[in-house]
Amino acid sequence: MALPKAKADATEARLANLTLPSGGADWAQSARQDALSRLSAMGLPGARDEYWRFTRPDTLNSPAPEQAALFQNDEKPLFEEIERLKIVFRDGVLDRASSDDFELEGLEIETLGDATAKDIHWAKDVFGVLETRGQTPVHRPFGALNTAFATEGLVIRATGNVTKPVSLIYRHEDENSDAMLHLVIKVEQGASLTVLENGPAAARWNKSMEVEVADAGSFHHIRAQGRDHERVAVTHIFARIGAQSLFKSFTLTANGRMTRNEAFIEMAGDEGIAHIAGAALGDGTFHHDDTVFITHDAVACESRQVFKKVLRNGAVGTFQGKILVKEGAQKTDGYQISQSLLLDEDAQFLAKPELEIYADDVACSHGSTSGAIDEDALFYLRARGVPLKQAQDLLTLAFLAEAIEEIEDEAIADDIVERLDGWLSRRS
Amino acid sequence: MLKIENLQVKLEEEDKQILKGVTLEVPAGAVHAIMGPNGSGKSTLSYVLSGRDGYEVTGGAAELEGEDLLELEPEERAAAGLFLAFQYPVEIPGVGNMTFLRTALNAQRKSRGEEELSAADFLKLIREKAKSLKIDAEMLKRSVNVGFSGGEKKRNEILQMAMLEPKMCVLDETDSGLDVDAMKLVAEGVNALRSEGRSFLVITHYQRLLDHIKPDVVHIMADGRIVKSGGPELALEVENNGYADILEEVA
């Protein structure tokens, strides 16, 4: 079916200045070409698309990004005290000189360029493959755009218990940068890997992460999307996880004009566990969208979606979360909660929780709430001598606690809480 | 210590006068009790003293050691030494009991210009106080009042009182929802805090709490006023004859 003209035109305009990367091996080139074909067929999102009802795609769609001022702050960088392997990107471009050597036991890291130039590479089974799976039943055009055009990125494989997290540091230094980054990650059977991401990355940021977790593997992902106020970002996680595997992802978003974080997770093996959580803080010009789709396609898997947003002064938060339980995925344990704390009357939260279940022996629960700070709790704290602002902050952190608890590593969680605390204490 | 003079209060939302001129003075070191039938304004008095929203003071005054209470924010009243033991302690999911108490204690100290308590000193103090109230480490670790039984909640109130060491303690129906053993434990906790420099205002429906916390003076409150004051024997009179006789007598 041909695209509506407006959509076709917008897609064409966006693609006009882009050229498919060259120099890749046949498998990589055809993955890119396929992605471009997918994108041309589906078109970029339009304001009338059902999946984009709550979030305007304009800033993400436009041929060029809007300028985004750099954000100066003297805050101590996140994860500073954590032993990790650091890899630095400046506006989406790898800075090898500022990065640690890609060497760690049980870990293989290559650039996307190097990996896709090889005729034979394991990444062939992941690159563009998981993204393609994520295009059904709902289109994710920016995922396809990324597969087709991203030249920067990493291909990471964990073959054992990787002792240090791989820490990707995204610096934003150019007010007009338009960056795409693609990560291909494979956690082999029984292996474990933690990936940290932090920083605002670029004026406009399109990041895609494809993650394959083999049986009994475990993957932890903690990211903080930087504090730049004007940047826009669209990110995707495409994950497929095996039997008895563990997948955990947590995202902190404080500030940012526009953020859409999509996650598509397939639970393909029995007794897998997938948790995805987010804490978002918005004040003023802030639109934050979590769009999550978890498919249970195996027996006795557990999934949790925990998303909390603190909004004020015109900030908007949206959540579209779905649990799909396929026929035969018995003993599924699915949980989904999306909540917003509206600190004033101007903030807005839009939520669309969905369950679609084709198995008869499952336990799925979901809830979505929107509210202000509990006046009774506030008075109780004040009556004990806690000043108003401090009491409000304490209750705000308490509201976010369930999402923070999804971070297993205590030191990392403490770092995130400190960041939240700082954000709150800077506001009156 | 606490001086309330002709205090008149109405509900903010509706035109309903609750307190119609309450006058009361609790000297330092004294324990006063307020008894009265439902709807007499006892709990309103405790809320107005502690600064809860929703009430409008239409006349009169309330002072703590000469300081005008009604001008202060709730946290300032707490720092000045006022403590309200809630009839219904509030559950606060996500805020650990220890964090809560430490934050409160240090906030009060800070506002009085005192040094904050170190984590180690705080821990030592709270363990000691918790032990005498039979509050275990598990309860301290949990979120404030979440999943606590009625008795545990009230014991937690007394623990907070013991930690914060207020000058003026207002106990709002602390006996409600307690069985005999729990009431005894709570009363012991209160009695342990009795001292020359600390006063208590014990609000209750029933005389039985006053068996354990012996008051110096008992006030009877009805229809927004103190209608009669006397010694502990007044509480016994209520216990034996109900409020009707007293109300008739003063009418």
PDB file of all heavy atoms in Angstrom, chain A residues 375-377 379-388 390 394-395 398 401, chain B residues 50 52 73-75 78 83-84 92-93 100 103-104 107-108 145 157 160:
ATOM      1  N   GLU A 375      -1.116  14.822  50.882  1.00  0.00           N
ATOM      2  CA  GLU A 375      -1.140  15.893  51.886  1.00  0.00           C
ATOM      3  C   GLU A 375      -0.988  15.364  53.311  1.00  0.00           C
ATOM      4  O   GLU A 375      -0.380  16.005  54.162  1.00  0.00           O
ATOM      5  CB  GLU A 375      -2.445  16.697  51.775  1.00  0.00           C
ATOM      6  CG  GLU A 375      -2.521  17.612  50.560  1.00  0.00           C
ATOM      7  CD  GLU A 375      -1.453  18.704  50.577  1.00  0.00           C
ATOM      8  OE1 GLU A 375      -1.137  19.209  51.665  1.00  0.00           O
ATOM      9  OE2 GLU A 375      -0.924  19.032  49.499  1.00  0.00           O
ATOM     10  N   ASP A 376      -1.576  14.189  53.565  1.00  0.00           N
ATOM     11  CA  ASP A 376      -1.486  13.633  54.917  1.00  0.00           C
ATOM     12  C   ASP A 376      -0.053  13.277  55.266  1.00  0.00           C
ATOM     13  O   ASP A 376       0.431  13.541  56.365  1.00  0.00           O
ATOM     14  CB  ASP A 376      -2.373  12.385  55.046  1.00  0.00           C
ATOM     15  CG  ASP A 376      -3.848  12.743  55.061  1.00  0.00           C
ATOM     16  OD1 ASP A 376      -4.169  13.888  55.443  1.00  0.00           O
ATOM     17  OD2 ASP A 376      -4.667  11.892  54.684  1.00  0.00           O
ATOM     18  N   ALA A 377       0.620  12.656  54.284  1.00  0.00           N
ATOM     19  CA  ALA A 377       2.020  12.280  54.512  1.00  0.00           C
ATOM     20  C   ALA A 377       2.873  13.531  54.696  1.00  0.00           C
ATOM     21  O   ALA A 377       3.765  13.576  55.541  1.00  0.00           O
ATOM     22  CB  ALA A 377       2.535  11.436  53.351  1.00  0.00           C
ATOM     23  N   PHE A 379       1.935  16.454  55.839  1.00  0.00           N
ATOM     24  CA  PHE A 379       1.707  17.046  57.161  1.00  0.00           C
ATOM     25  C   PHE A 379       2.392  16.229  58.256  1.00  0.00           C
ATOM     26  O   PHE A 379       2.986  16.777  59.191  1.00  0.00           O
ATOM     27  CB  PHE A 379       0.212  17.171  57.465  1.00  0.00           C
ATOM     28  CG  PHE A 379      -0.070  17.664  58.859  1.00  0.00           C
ATOM     29  CD1 PHE A 379       0.298  18.950  59.232  1.00  0.00           C
ATOM     30  CD2 PHE A 379      -0.669  16.845  59.796  1.00  0.00           C
ATOM     31  CE1 PHE A 379       0.075  19.408  60.531  1.00  0.00           C
ATOM     32  CE2 PHE A 379      -0.898  17.288  61.086  1.00  0.00           C
ATOM     33  CZ  PHE A 379      -0.531  18.569  61.454  1.00  0.00           C
ATOM     34  N   TYR A 380       2.332  14.936  58.115  1.00  0.00           N
ATOM     35  CA  TYR A 380       2.958  14.051  59.112  1.00  0.00           C
ATOM     36  C   TYR A 380       4.455  14.350  59.211  1.00  0.00           C
ATOM     37  O   TYR A 380       5.007  14.495  60.299  1.00  0.00           O
ATOM     38  CB  TYR A 380       2.722  12.605  58.697  1.00  0.00           C
ATOM     39  CG  TYR A 380       3.053  11.563  59.744  1.00  0.00           C
ATOM     40  CD1 TYR A 380       2.318  11.477  60.925  1.00  0.00           C
ATOM     41  CD2 TYR A 380       4.072  10.640  59.545  1.00  0.00           C
ATOM     42  CE1 TYR A 380       2.600  10.503  61.875  1.00  0.00           C
ATOM     43  CE2 TYR A 380       4.358   9.666  60.484  1.00  0.00           C
ATOM     44  CZ  TYR A 380       3.619   9.605  61.645  1.00  0.00           C
ATOM     45  OH  TYR A 380       3.896   8.637  62.580  1.00  0.00           O
ATOM     46  N   LEU A 381       5.102  14.473  58.066  1.00  0.00           N
ATOM     47  CA  LEU A 381       6.540  14.768  58.062  1.00  0.00           C
ATOM     48  C   LEU A 381       6.815  16.141  58.668  1.00  0.00           C
ATOM     49  O   LEU A 381       7.741  16.317  59.459  1.00  0.00           O
ATOM     50  CB  LEU A 381       7.092  14.719  56.629  1.00  0.00           C
ATOM     51  CG  LEU A 381       7.200  13.330  56.010  1.00  0.00           C
ATOM     52  CD1 LEU A 381       7.478  13.428  54.514  1.00  0.00           C
ATOM     53  CD2 LEU A 381       8.310  12.536  56.684  1.00  0.00           C
ATOM     54  N   ARG A 382       5.996  17.119  58.301  1.00  0.00           N
ATOM     55  CA  ARG A 382       6.213  18.475  58.816  1.00  0.00           C
ATOM     56  C   ARG A 382       5.952  18.531  60.319  1.00  0.00           C
ATOM     57  O   ARG A 382       6.660  19.217  61.053  1.00  0.00           O
ATOM     58  CB  ARG A 382       5.310  19.473  58.083  1.00  0.00           C
ATOM     59  CG  ARG A 382       5.628  19.588  56.611  1.00  0.00           C
ATOM     60  CD  ARG A 382       4.684  20.543  55.917  1.00  0.00           C
ATOM     61  NE  ARG A 382       4.997  21.932  56.244  1.00  0.00           N
ATOM     62  CZ  ARG A 382       4.193  22.956  55.967  1.00  0.00           C
ATOM     63  NH1 ARG A 382       3.028  22.746  55.393  1.00  0.00           N
ATOM     64  NH2 ARG A 382       4.545  24.176  56.271  1.00  0.00           N
ATOM     65  N   ALA A 383       4.951  17.793  60.758  1.00  0.00           N
ATOM     66  CA  ALA A 383       4.638  17.785  62.182  1.00  0.00           C
ATOM     67  C   ALA A 383       5.782  17.184  62.994  1.00  0.00           C
ATOM     68  O   ALA A 383       5.867  17.376  64.201  1.00  0.00           O
ATOM     69  CB  ALA A 383       3.350  17.013  62.436  1.00  0.00           C
ATOM     70  N   ARG A 384       6.656  16.451  62.304  1.00  0.00           N
ATOM     71  CA  ARG A 384       7.827  15.892  62.991  1.00  0.00           C
ATOM     72  C   ARG A 384       9.046  16.799  62.817  1.00  0.00           C
ATOM     73  O   ARG A 384      10.153  16.428  63.182  1.00  0.00           O
ATOM     74  CB  ARG A 384       8.137  14.492  62.467  1.00  0.00           C
ATOM     75  CG  ARG A 384       7.072  13.458  62.782  1.00  0.00           C
ATOM     76  CD  ARG A 384       6.936  13.233  64.285  1.00  0.00           C
ATOM     77  NE  ARG A 384       5.825  12.343  64.614  1.00  0.00           N
ATOM     78  CZ  ARG A 384       4.665  12.768  65.111  1.00  0.00           C
ATOM     79  NH1 ARG A 384       4.460  14.038  65.344  1.00  0.00           N
ATOM     80  NH2 ARG A 384       3.705  11.908  65.401  1.00  0.00           N
ATOM     81  N   GLY A 385       8.840  17.926  62.161  1.00  0.00           N
ATOM     82  CA  GLY A 385       9.932  18.894  62.072  1.00  0.00           C
ATOM     83  C   GLY A 385      10.648  18.951  60.742  1.00  0.00           C
ATOM     84  O   GLY A 385      11.614  19.681  60.594  1.00  0.00           O
ATOM     85  N   VAL A 386      10.178  18.162  59.763  1.00  0.00           N
ATOM     86  CA  VAL A 386      10.845  18.199  58.458  1.00  0.00           C
ATOM     87  C   VAL A 386      10.287  19.390  57.659  1.00  0.00           C
ATOM     88  O   VAL A 386       9.091  19.460  57.432  1.00  0.00           O
ATOM     89  CB  VAL A 386      10.601  16.887  57.676  1.00  0.00           C
ATOM     90  CG1 VAL A 386      11.358  16.920  56.358  1.00  0.00           C
ATOM     91  CG2 VAL A 386      11.018  15.682  58.515  1.00  0.00           C
ATOM     92  N   PRO A 387      11.156  20.323  57.240  1.00  0.00           N
ATOM     93  CA  PRO A 387      10.676  21.495  56.502  1.00  0.00           C
ATOM     94  C   PRO A 387       9.951  21.105  55.211  1.00  0.00           C
ATOM     95  O   PRO A 387      10.267  20.074  54.612  1.00  0.00           O
ATOM     96  CB  PRO A 387      11.953  22.273  56.193  1.00  0.00           C
ATOM     97  CG  PRO A 387      12.951  21.823  57.204  1.00  0.00           C
ATOM     98  CD  PRO A 387      12.602  20.393  57.491  1.00  0.00           C
ATOM     99  N   LEU A 388       9.030  21.950  54.798  1.00  0.00           N
ATOM    100  CA  LEU A 388       8.149  21.665  53.660  1.00  0.00           C
ATOM    101  C   LEU A 388       8.890  21.143  52.428  1.00  0.00           C
ATOM    102  O   LEU A 388       8.571  20.082  51.894  1.00  0.00           O
ATOM    103  CB  LEU A 388       7.365  22.936  53.304  1.00  0.00           C
ATOM    104  CG  LEU A 388       6.448  22.844  52.085  1.00  0.00           C
ATOM    105  CD1 LEU A 388       5.354  21.806  52.308  1.00  0.00           C
ATOM    106  CD2 LEU A 388       5.807  24.192  51.784  1.00  0.00           C
ATOM    107  N   GLN A 390      11.892  19.931  52.058  1.00  0.00           N
ATOM    108  CA  GLN A 390      12.576  18.663  52.303  1.00  0.00           C
ATOM    109  C   GLN A 390      11.566  17.514  52.370  1.00  0.00           C
ATOM    110  O   GLN A 390      11.822  16.415  51.874  1.00  0.00           O
ATOM    111  CB  GLN A 390      13.337  18.779  53.619  1.00  0.00           C
ATOM    112  CG  GLN A 390      14.499  17.812  53.743  1.00  0.00           C
ATOM    113  CD  GLN A 390      15.203  17.944  55.094  1.00  0.00           C
ATOM    114  OE1 GLN A 390      14.968  18.899  55.845  1.00  0.00           O
ATOM    115  NE2 GLN A 390      16.044  16.981  55.411  1.00  0.00           N
ATOM    116  N   LEU A 394      11.474  14.324  49.923  1.00  0.00           N
ATOM    117  CA  LEU A 394      11.515  12.977  50.513  1.00  0.00           C
ATOM    118  C   LEU A 394      10.373  12.125  49.947  1.00  0.00           C
ATOM    119  O   LEU A 394      10.559  10.963  49.578  1.00  0.00           O
ATOM    120  CB  LEU A 394      11.404  13.105  52.033  1.00  0.00           C
ATOM    121  CG  LEU A 394      11.853  11.938  52.897  1.00  0.00           C
ATOM    122  CD1 LEU A 394      13.311  11.606  52.642  1.00  0.00           C
ATOM    123  CD2 LEU A 394      11.660  12.259  54.376  1.00  0.00           C
ATOM    124  N   LEU A 395       9.197  12.734  49.840  1.00  0.00           N
ATOM    125  CA  LEU A 395       8.043  11.996  49.320  1.00  0.00           C
ATOM    126  C   LEU A 395       8.186  11.755  47.817  1.00  0.00           C
ATOM    127  O   LEU A 395       7.715  10.749  47.297  1.00  0.00           O
ATOM    128  CB  LEU A 395       6.742  12.752  49.630  1.00  0.00           C
ATOM    129  CG  LEU A 395       6.388  12.804  51.120  1.00  0.00           C
ATOM    130  CD1 LEU A 395       5.182  13.704  51.368  1.00  0.00           C
ATOM    131  CD2 LEU A 395       6.114  11.406  51.663  1.00  0.00           C
ATOM    132  N   ALA A 398      10.447   8.910  47.493  1.00  0.00           N
ATOM    133  CA  ALA A 398       9.709   7.711  47.888  1.00  0.00           C
ATOM    134  C   ALA A 398       8.827   7.219  46.738  1.00  0.00           C
ATOM    135  O   ALA A 398       8.705   6.022  46.498  1.00  0.00           O
ATOM    136  CB  ALA A 398       8.856   8.001  49.121  1.00  0.00           C
ATOM    137  N   ALA A 401      10.896   5.307  44.369  1.00  0.00           N
ATOM    138  CA  ALA A 401      11.663   4.191  44.953  1.00  0.00           C
ATOM    139  C   ALA A 401      11.453   2.856  44.231  1.00  0.00           C
ATOM    140  O   ALA A 401      12.413   2.113  43.997  1.00  0.00           O
ATOM    141  CB  ALA A 401      11.323   4.053  46.435  1.00  0.00           C
TER     142      ALA A 401
ATOM    143  N   SER B  50      -1.072  21.703  66.144  1.00  0.00           N
ATOM    144  CA  SER B  50       0.092  21.234  65.386  1.00  0.00           C
ATOM    145  C   SER B  50       0.169  21.857  63.992  1.00  0.00           C
ATOM    146  O   SER B  50       1.150  21.685  63.300  1.00  0.00           O
ATOM    147  CB  SER B  50       0.079  19.711  65.288  1.00  0.00           C
ATOM    148  OG  SER B  50      -1.137  19.276  64.740  1.00  0.00           O
ATOM    149  N   ARG B  52      -2.243  21.813  61.248  1.00  0.00           N
ATOM    150  CA  ARG B  52      -2.782  21.161  60.066  1.00  0.00           C
ATOM    151  C   ARG B  52      -3.650  22.123  59.252  1.00  0.00           C
ATOM    152  O   ARG B  52      -4.338  22.964  59.818  1.00  0.00           O
ATOM    153  CB  ARG B  52      -3.632  19.961  60.513  1.00  0.00           C
ATOM    154  CG  ARG B  52      -3.938  19.008  59.400  1.00  0.00           C
ATOM    155  CD  ARG B  52      -4.905  17.925  59.851  1.00  0.00           C
ATOM    156  NE  ARG B  52      -5.016  16.934  58.808  1.00  0.00           N
ATOM    157  CZ  ARG B  52      -4.529  15.719  58.872  1.00  0.00           C
ATOM    158  NH1 ARG B  52      -3.918  15.323  59.963  1.00  0.00           N
ATOM    159  NH2 ARG B  52      -4.656  14.876  57.873  1.00  0.00           N
ATOM    160  N   GLU B  73       4.785  27.632  61.110  1.00  0.00           N
ATOM    161  CA  GLU B  73       4.544  26.479  60.232  1.00  0.00           C
ATOM    162  C   GLU B  73       4.611  25.217  61.091  1.00  0.00           C
ATOM    163  O   GLU B  73       5.257  25.214  62.154  1.00  0.00           O
ATOM    164  CB  GLU B  73       5.629  26.409  59.144  1.00  0.00           C
ATOM    165  CG  GLU B  73       5.626  27.564  58.167  1.00  0.00           C
ATOM    166  CD  GLU B  73       4.368  27.617  57.319  1.00  0.00           C
ATOM    167  OE1 GLU B  73       3.733  26.556  57.098  1.00  0.00           O
ATOM    168  OE2 GLU B  73       3.993  28.721  56.888  1.00  0.00           O
ATOM    169  N   PRO B  74       4.001  24.132  60.609  1.00  0.00           N
ATOM    170  CA  PRO B  74       4.013  22.899  61.416  1.00  0.00           C
ATOM    171  C   PRO B  74       5.430  22.480  61.844  1.00  0.00           C
ATOM    172  O   PRO B  74       5.644  22.086  62.993  1.00  0.00           O
ATOM    173  CB  PRO B  74       3.407  21.858  60.467  1.00  0.00           C
ATOM    174  CG  PRO B  74       2.568  22.636  59.519  1.00  0.00           C
ATOM    175  CD  PRO B  74       3.225  23.974  59.378  1.00  0.00           C
ATOM    176  N   GLU B  75       6.402  22.589  60.883  1.00  0.00           N
ATOM    177  CA  GLU B  75       7.760  22.148  61.223  1.00  0.00           C
ATOM    178  C   GLU B  75       8.407  23.065  62.252  1.00  0.00           C
ATOM    179  O   GLU B  75       9.244  22.622  63.049  1.00  0.00           O
ATOM    180  CB  GLU B  75       8.628  22.037  59.962  1.00  0.00           C
ATOM    181  CG  GLU B  75       8.722  23.293  59.104  1.00  0.00           C
ATOM    182  CD  GLU B  75       7.654  23.349  58.013  1.00  0.00           C
ATOM    183  OE1 GLU B  75       6.543  22.817  58.221  1.00  0.00           O
ATOM    184  OE2 GLU B  75       7.954  23.917  56.941  1.00  0.00           O
ATOM    185  N   ALA B  78       7.145  22.033  65.602  1.00  0.00           N
ATOM    186  CA  ALA B  78       7.850  20.826  66.048  1.00  0.00           C
ATOM    187  C   ALA B  78       9.221  21.207  66.611  1.00  0.00           C
ATOM    188  O   ALA B  78       9.617  20.728  67.678  1.00  0.00           O
ATOM    189  CB  ALA B  78       7.987  19.846  64.888  1.00  0.00           C
ATOM    190  N   PHE B  83       4.860  18.296  70.044  1.00  0.00           N
ATOM    191  CA  PHE B  83       4.767  16.980  69.398  1.00  0.00           C
ATOM    192  C   PHE B  83       3.328  16.491  69.468  1.00  0.00           C
ATOM    193  O   PHE B  83       2.717  16.483  70.536  1.00  0.00           O
ATOM    194  CB  PHE B  83       5.680  15.975  70.107  1.00  0.00           C
ATOM    195  CG  PHE B  83       5.669  14.599  69.476  1.00  0.00           C
ATOM    196  CD1 PHE B  83       6.612  14.268  68.522  1.00  0.00           C
ATOM    197  CD2 PHE B  83       4.707  13.647  69.831  1.00  0.00           C
ATOM    198  CE1 PHE B  83       6.609  13.006  67.927  1.00  0.00           C
ATOM    199  CE2 PHE B  83       4.696  12.390  69.233  1.00  0.00           C
ATOM    200  CZ  PHE B  83       5.655  12.070  68.283  1.00  0.00           C
ATOM    201  N   LEU B  84       2.804  16.070  68.322  1.00  0.00           N
ATOM    202  CA  LEU B  84       1.470  15.469  68.302  1.00  0.00           C
ATOM    203  C   LEU B  84       1.603  13.979  68.003  1.00  0.00           C
ATOM    204  O   LEU B  84       2.132  13.603  66.958  1.00  0.00           O
ATOM    205  CB  LEU B  84       0.600  16.131  67.221  1.00  0.00           C
ATOM    206  CG  LEU B  84      -0.730  15.441  66.913  1.00  0.00           C
ATOM    207  CD1 LEU B  84      -1.680  15.493  68.104  1.00  0.00           C
ATOM    208  CD2 LEU B  84      -1.404  16.056  65.677  1.00  0.00           C
ATOM    209  N   ILE B  92       3.684   5.898  55.058  1.00  0.00           N
ATOM    210  CA  ILE B  92       4.435   6.554  53.979  1.00  0.00           C
ATOM    211  C   ILE B  92       5.289   5.523  53.236  1.00  0.00           C
ATOM    212  O   ILE B  92       6.448   5.291  53.583  1.00  0.00           O
ATOM    213  CB  ILE B  92       5.330   7.690  54.517  1.00  0.00           C
ATOM    214  CG1 ILE B  92       4.539   8.597  55.477  1.00  0.00           C
ATOM    215  CG2 ILE B  92       5.892   8.504  53.360  1.00  0.00           C
ATOM    216  CD1 ILE B  92       5.344   9.754  56.025  1.00  0.00           C
ATOM    217  N   PRO B  93       4.733   4.895  52.215  1.00  0.00           N
ATOM    218  CA  PRO B  93       5.499   3.896  51.464  1.00  0.00           C
ATOM    219  C   PRO B  93       6.733   4.530  50.832  1.00  0.00           C
ATOM    220  O   PRO B  93       6.657   5.657  50.336  1.00  0.00           O
ATOM    221  CB  PRO B  93       4.519   3.439  50.369  1.00  0.00           C
ATOM    222  CG  PRO B  93       3.183   3.945  50.756  1.00  0.00           C
ATOM    223  CD  PRO B  93       3.398   5.129  51.647  1.00  0.00           C
ATOM    224  N   PHE B 100      13.330   8.477  58.016  1.00  0.00           N
ATOM    225  CA  PHE B 100      12.324   9.443  58.451  1.00  0.00           C
ATOM    226  C   PHE B 100      12.730  10.070  59.790  1.00  0.00           C
ATOM    227  O   PHE B 100      12.774  11.294  59.926  1.00  0.00           O
ATOM    228  CB  PHE B 100      10.983   8.708  58.556  1.00  0.00           C
ATOM    229  CG  PHE B 100       9.929   9.398  59.377  1.00  0.00           C
ATOM    230  CD1 PHE B 100       9.450  10.642  59.012  1.00  0.00           C
ATOM    231  CD2 PHE B 100       9.405   8.779  60.494  1.00  0.00           C
ATOM    232  CE1 PHE B 100       8.466  11.269  59.759  1.00  0.00           C
ATOM    233  CE2 PHE B 100       8.426   9.397  61.249  1.00  0.00           C
ATOM    234  CZ  PHE B 100       7.959  10.646  60.894  1.00  0.00           C
ATOM    235  N   THR B 103      15.964  12.149  59.537  1.00  0.00           N
ATOM    236  CA  THR B 103      15.705  13.409  58.834  1.00  0.00           C
ATOM    237  C   THR B 103      14.996  14.396  59.765  1.00  0.00           C
ATOM    238  O   THR B 103      15.360  15.567  59.852  1.00  0.00           O
ATOM    239  CB  THR B 103      14.828  13.156  57.590  1.00  0.00           C
ATOM    240  OG1 THR B 103      15.446  12.144  56.811  1.00  0.00           O
ATOM    241  CG2 THR B 103      14.673  14.415  56.755  1.00  0.00           C
ATOM    242  N   ALA B 104      13.982  13.893  60.472  1.00  0.00           N
ATOM    243  CA  ALA B 104      13.199  14.750  61.361  1.00  0.00           C
ATOM    244  C   ALA B 104      14.064  15.286  62.510  1.00  0.00           C
ATOM    245  O   ALA B 104      14.070  16.484  62.802  1.00  0.00           O
ATOM    246  CB  ALA B 104      12.005  13.971  61.913  1.00  0.00           C
ATOM    247  N   ALA B 107      16.633  17.742  61.206  1.00  0.00           N
ATOM    248  CA  ALA B 107      15.996  18.987  60.763  1.00  0.00           C
ATOM    249  C   ALA B 107      15.673  19.862  61.977  1.00  0.00           C
ATOM    250  O   ALA B 107      15.893  21.075  61.968  1.00  0.00           O
ATOM    251  CB  ALA B 107      14.737  18.687  59.961  1.00  0.00           C
ATOM    252  N   GLN B 108      15.158  19.231  63.018  1.00  0.00           N
ATOM    253  CA  GLN B 108      14.841  19.987  64.238  1.00  0.00           C
ATOM    254  C   GLN B 108      16.092  20.563  64.877  1.00  0.00           C
ATOM    255  O   GLN B 108      16.127  21.718  65.282  1.00  0.00           O
ATOM    256  CB  GLN B 108      14.116  19.088  65.250  1.00  0.00           C
ATOM    257  CG  GLN B 108      12.698  18.769  64.860  1.00  0.00           C
ATOM    258  CD  GLN B 108      11.863  18.309  66.050  1.00  0.00           C
ATOM    259  OE1 GLN B 108      12.220  18.526  67.200  1.00  0.00           O
ATOM    260  NE2 GLN B 108      10.746  17.669  65.771  1.00  0.00           N
ATOM    261  N   ASN B 145       5.342   3.175  59.083  1.00  0.00           N
ATOM    262  CA  ASN B 145       3.998   2.671  59.432  1.00  0.00           C
ATOM    263  C   ASN B 145       3.376   1.706  58.416  1.00  0.00           C
ATOM    264  O   ASN B 145       2.246   1.258  58.615  1.00  0.00           O
ATOM    265  CB  ASN B 145       3.024   3.836  59.665  1.00  0.00           C
ATOM    266  CG  ASN B 145       3.373   4.637  60.906  1.00  0.00           C
ATOM    267  OD1 ASN B 145       3.835   4.069  61.895  1.00  0.00           O
ATOM    268  ND2 ASN B 145       3.188   5.937  60.857  1.00  0.00           N
ATOM    269  N   GLU B 157       4.767   5.901  67.257  1.00  0.00           N
ATOM    270  CA  GLU B 157       4.560   7.306  67.627  1.00  0.00           C
ATOM    271  C   GLU B 157       5.352   7.643  68.890  1.00  0.00           C
ATOM    272  O   GLU B 157       5.984   8.689  68.988  1.00  0.00           O
ATOM    273  CB  GLU B 157       3.071   7.588  67.882  1.00  0.00           C
ATOM    274  CG  GLU B 157       2.183   7.511  66.654  1.00  0.00           C
ATOM    275  CD  GLU B 157       2.447   8.631  65.668  1.00  0.00           C
ATOM    276  OE1 GLU B 157       2.125   9.795  65.974  1.00  0.00           O
ATOM    277  OE2 GLU B 157       2.994   8.321  64.597  1.00  0.00           O
ATOM    278  N   GLN B 160       8.981   7.927  68.242  1.00  0.00           N
ATOM    279  CA  GLN B 160       9.316   9.236  67.662  1.00  0.00           C
ATOM    280  C   GLN B 160       9.384  10.300  68.754  1.00  0.00           C
ATOM    281  O   GLN B 160      10.271  11.148  68.768  1.00  0.00           O
ATOM    282  CB  GLN B 160       8.272   9.628  66.614  1.00  0.00           C
ATOM    283  CG  GLN B 160       8.318   8.760  65.367  1.00  0.00           C
ATOM    284  CD  GLN B 160       7.081   8.924  64.509  1.00  0.00           C
ATOM    285  OE1 GLN B 160       6.498   9.991  64.448  1.00  0.00           O
ATOM    286  NE2 GLN B 160       6.672   7.860  63.845  1.00  0.00           N
TER     287      GLN B 160
END
